[in-house]
């Protein structure tokens, strides 16, 4: 386990090269005591040490991550140190060594590719410096010692030279995905490799899942083992306006549905949900297809946005949708999770009036749904007073029905978050709250730019 002093020393090693007159503002940026320039001019190391000593480990870990993001290659030693902090790097050194040992014992890690060709699928060897003065790049270095002279073995190459045991999770995961890629291995061998790799990865909460295919050949990606909703998204009916659509099963065995009335009032997304979930870009592509739009441009995106916005009933819902889009459209381009409004969760073909005021499915629609994957489903509800009162009189019965519906959703694997309508009715005060919530939600689920 990494000690606090080791982490402090590694952070200082990166920051001490900054100009003394810049250190106060840099410290302030990272949430440290500001101080003054004269103290920094006396000793940059002591200045930094004074501000880091006494900090909690979790604070230092978070600070170290930010320093690595900001300083890149200059913080390579700090990055390696973070590798040994269990709460940051989740594929442990034990798991990595176990997988590598089994790969060594099986023979050719590179499958159908030659060594340099395989490695270039993971690392840009031409951009990596050589450790041999006779060569300019790592490509020449590896060729000389692995192919021409054969004085390195695989253990030295992968663990010492390429540092797979201490690299970032993303690099090790990319390596595994290439090892089992259909271009690298035949399918029968691919299945065998996936089985033994998953045996080790599962100890850290990961697994190689089928994510796509190339010309009918399966492509696998490493993903977290999810505890979300069982089953797959089959019918996503959303953005309803006006009359409720009337739905029948056209094939009940396949769970195929058909809208026979008021189809124009709602949207039905009928494409597969991949491991990346449902992104705004996916929704734009689907929208262009159903609108017979050949060339997708900003006009296409705007028309979809307006159609979804028009399905919203209240000002708080509109503010939530509008500011979510503003924040994350700018931050992620189009590769951010789509916020899907007015989604049918349950469907009762009869109205409450037709059922003589009996309610069998109290919550038929969700205000908003996010799909982070096929299993990770996030429900957002914006509560006006109609959710818990009759007019201006509080209704314990309505509140109890709402609470029961939430429990049922959570037991089925959904995450449910509620906003009070009053939180989202102000164009000035509500946006920071909206941004803060979604940033924390994305961090929790590891949602990153793609």
């Amino acid at each position: 386990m990494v000690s606090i002093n080791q982490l402090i020393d590694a952070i200082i090693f990166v920051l001490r090269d900054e100009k003394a007159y810049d250190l106060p503002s840099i410290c302030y940026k990272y949430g440290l005591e500001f101080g003054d320039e004269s103290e920094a001019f006396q000793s940059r190391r002591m200045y930094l040490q004074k501000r880091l000593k006494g900090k909690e480990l979790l604070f230092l870990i978070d600070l170290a991550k930010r320093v690595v993001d900001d300083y890149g290659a200059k913080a390579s030693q700090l990055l390696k140190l973070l590798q040994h902090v269990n709460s940051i790097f989740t594929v442990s050194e034990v798991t990595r060594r176990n997988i590598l040992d089994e790969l060594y014992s099986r023979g050719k890690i590179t499958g159908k590719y030659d060594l340099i060709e395989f490695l270039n699928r993971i690392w840009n060897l031409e951009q990596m410096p050589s450790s041999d003065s006779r060569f300019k790049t790592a490509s020449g270095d590896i060729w000389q010692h692995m192919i021409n002279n054969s004085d390195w073995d695989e253990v030295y190459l992968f663990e010492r030279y390429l540092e797979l045991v201490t690299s970032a999770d993303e690099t090790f995961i990319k390596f595994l995905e290439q090892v089992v890629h259909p271009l690298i291995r035949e399918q029968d061998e691919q299945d065998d490799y996936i089985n033994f790799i998953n045996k080790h990865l599962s100890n850290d909460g990961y697994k190689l899942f089928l994510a796509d295919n190339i010309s009918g050949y399966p492509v696998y990606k490493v993903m977290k083992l999810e505890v979300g909703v069982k089953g797959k998204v089959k019918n996503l009916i959303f953005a309803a306006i006006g009359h409720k659509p009337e739905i029948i099963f056209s094939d009940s065995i396949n769970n195929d549905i058909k809208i026979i009335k008021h189809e124009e009032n709602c949207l039905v997304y009928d494409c597969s949900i991949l491991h990346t979930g449902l992104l705004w870009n996916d929704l734009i592509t689907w929208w262009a297809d159903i609108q017979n739009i050949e060339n997708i441009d900003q006009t296409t995106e705007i028309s979809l946005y307006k159609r979804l916005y028009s399905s919203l009933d209240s000002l708080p819902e509109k503010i939530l949708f509008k500011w979510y889009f503003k924040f994350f459209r700018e931050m992620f381009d189009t590769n951010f999770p789509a916020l899907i409004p007015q989604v049918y969760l349950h469907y009762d073909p009869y109205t409450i009036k037709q059922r003589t005021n009996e309610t069998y499915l109290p919550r038929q629609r969700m205000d908003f749904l996010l799909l982070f994957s096929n299993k990770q489903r996030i429900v957002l509800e914006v509560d006006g007073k109609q959710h818990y009162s009759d007019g201006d009189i509080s209704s314990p019965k309505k509140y109890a029905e709402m609470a029961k519906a939430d429990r049922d959703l959570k037991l089925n694997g959904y995450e449910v978050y509620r906003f009070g309508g009053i939180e989202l009715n102000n164009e000035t005060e509500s946006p920071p709250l909206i941004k803060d919530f979604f940033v924390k939600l994305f961090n929790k689920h590891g949602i990153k730019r793609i």
Side-chain angles (χ1 to χ4, degrees):
M1 182 66 181
V2 174
S3 72
I4 286 181
N5 287 337
Q6 285 177 296
L7 208 51
I8 288 173
D9 288 342
I11 294 169
I12 290 173
F13 184 82
V14 178
L15 298 181
R16 69 181 183 182
D17 288 337
E18 295 287 352
K19 302 293 184 184
Y21 52 76
D22 286 333
L23 276 184
S25 59
I26 290 170
C27 285
Y28 181 75
K29 168 188 171 183
Y30 290 124
L32 300 169
E33 182 187 347
F34 190 86
D36 57 53
E37 291 181 18
S38 61
E39 184 185 357
F41 274 103
Q42 291 176 10
S43 170
R44 283 171 290 182
R45 179 178 179 81
M46 292 299 295
Y47 181 90
L48 291 165
Q49 195 170 49
K50 179 179 177 181
R51 282 150 183 81
L52 292 168
K53 286 289 186 183
K55 298 296 183 185
E56 297 287 340
L57 178 60
L58 290 179
F59 175 91
L60 293 171
I61 289 171
D62 181 66
L63 172 57
K65 288 171 63 181
R66 293 167 63 195
V67 170
V68 166
D69 287 342
D70 291 344
Y71 287 84
K74 291 182 179 180
S76 59
Q77 292 302 315
L78 179 58
L79 177 61
K80 289 178 184 178
L81 192 64
L82 282 174
Q83 169 63 52
H84 300 285
V85 181
N86 291 333
S87 60
I88 298 299
F89 289 85
T90 49
V91 182
S92 72
E93 182 177 344
V94 172
T95 295
R96 295 178 188 220
R97 289 193 182 279
N98 286 339
I99 292 173
L100 287 170
D101 286 346
E102 193 153 353
L103 286 173
Y104 301 146
S105 70
R106 285 169 176 261
K108 196 173 182 184
I109 293 174
T110 62
K112 293 183 283 187
Y113 275 38
D114 65 41
L115 179 62
I116 301 298
E117 192 179 21
F118 171 81
L119 295 178
N120 268 317
R121 293 174 65 86
I122 305 155
W123 295 272
N124 187 342
L125 299 181
E126 294 303 317
Q127 297 295 320
M128 294 169 59
S130 171
S131 61
D132 188 323
S133 60
R134 292 172 292 176
F135 305 99
K136 291 183 179 180
T137 67
S139 182
D141 207 0
I142 293 169
W143 176 87
Q144 173 64 26
H145 294 285
M146 289 294 295
I147 300 169
N148 192 36
N149 278 353
S150 300
D151 55 342
W152 288 357
D153 59 13
E154 287 184 322
V155 176
Y156 184 89
L157 172 68
F158 287 109
E159 297 184 24
R160 295 287 300 278
Y161 189 80
L162 294 172
E163 301 180 325
L164 260 184
V165 174
T166 56
S167 64
D169 279 343
E170 288 80 3
T171 303
F172 188 74
I173 285 170
K174 189 176 182 181
F175 166 75
L176 294 181
E177 291 171 349
Q178 292 305 313
V179 165
V180 300
H181 196 279
L183 288 173
I184 305 299
R185 305 204 179 279
E186 300 292 349
Q187 190 166 350
D188 56 346
E189 188 183 33
Q190 182 190 42
D191 292 340
D192 181 41
Y193 273 63
I194 288 166
N195 287 336
F196 92 74
I197 289 172
N198 279 342
K199 178 184 69 177
H200 297 295
L201 279 180
S202 63
N203 294 325
D204 292 333
Y206 286 90
K207 184 179 179 180
L208 280 159
F209 284 95
L210 177 63
D212 206 345
N213 70 79
I214 299 175
S215 302
Y217 292 94
V219 177
Y220 287 80
K221 297 288 184 183
V222 174
M223 291 178 275
K224 283 191 173 184
L225 291 168
E226 297 169 356
V227 294
V229 181
K230 295 180 180 179
K232 294 183 177 180
V233 176
K234 298 182 181 72
N235 302 305
L236 192 59
I237 306 170
F238 63 105
I241 300 172
H243 293 290
K244 181 167 67 175
E246 293 187 18
I247 301 170
I248 63 169
F249 280 107
S250 59
D251 186 335
S252 61
I253 295 174
N254 286 332
N255 199 29
D256 294 334
I257 65 167
K258 183 177 181 181
I259 301 176
I260 59 172
K261 194 174 181 181
H262 305 309
E263 183 177 6
E264 70 281 1
N265 291 349
C266 66
L267 302 175
V268 181
Y269 186 83
D270 53 3
C271 303
S272 298
I273 305 297
L274 299 178
H275 72 283
T276 49
L278 182 56
L279 302 177
W280 178 242
N281 190 51
D282 299 326
L283 217 54
I284 294 171
T285 303
W286 163 82
W287 175 253
D289 184 54
I290 66 171
Q291 297 292 318
N292 296 315
I293 298 171
E294 291 187 8
N295 299 314
I296 299 175
D297 56 18
Q298 191 175 18
T299 304
T300 312
E301 183 178 6
I302 291 171
S303 68
L304 171 60
Y305 176 90
K306 287 182 176 179
R307 171 61 185 84
L308 299 181
Y309 189 82
S310 68
S311 71
L312 302 174
D313 296 326
S314 66
L315 177 62
E317 289 177 356
K318 291 176 180 178
I319 288 177
L320 178 65
F321 185 81
K322 179 175 75 174
W323 283 98
Y324 173 83
F325 187 86
K326 280 190 174 183
F327 286 134
F328 298 104
R329 177 63 176 83
E330 181 180 343
M331 192 180 299
F332 284 70
D333 193 19
T334 57
N335 288 315
F336 64 97
L339 184 60
I340 315 162
Q342 303 298 312
V343 181
Y344 275 97
L345 172 64
H346 306 299
Y347 184 79
D348 187 340
Y350 296 101
T351 64
I352 294 176
K353 185 176 180 181
Q354 288 172 316
R355 288 205 178 275
T356 62
N357 293 324
E358 284 192 77
T359 303
Y360 289 93
L361 296 170
R363 181 193 297 164
Q364 293 191 48
R365 281 197 299 184
M366 301 176 260
D367 290 339
F368 296 100
L369 177 68
L370 289 156
L371 297 172
F372 290 162
S373 72
N374 210 306
K375 295 180 181 294
Q376 292 176 297
R377 306 178 197 175
I378 316 299
V379 177
L380 305 181
E381 294 287 352
V382 180
D383 295 340
K385 65 179 182 179
Q386 74 274 12
H387 288 81
Y388 48 80
S389 65
D390 291 317
D392 293 326
I393 302 172
S394 63
S395 172
K397 182 175 182 292
K398 277 191 172 182
Y399 179 81
E401 288 174 349
M402 184 174 70
K404 181 182 182 302
D406 279 359
R407 290 197 303 273
D408 290 342
L409 272 179
K410 291 174 182 177
L411 288 171
N412 283 322
Y414 288 81
E415 286 184 33
V416 182
Y417 298 95
R418 290 191 168 276
F419 292 89
I422 197 170
E423 294 181 282
L424 303 174
N425 63 0
N426 187 298
E427 290 279 4
T428 303
E429 297 176 3
S430 299
L433 179 152
I434 293 167
K435 184 177 182 180
D436 180 66
F437 168 76
F438 282 109
V439 166
K440 289 176 180 176
L441 183 67
F442 283 9
N443 287 338
K444 175 184 176 182
H445 288 276
I447 304 300
K448 300 177 181 177
R449 293 178 180 85
I450 296 176

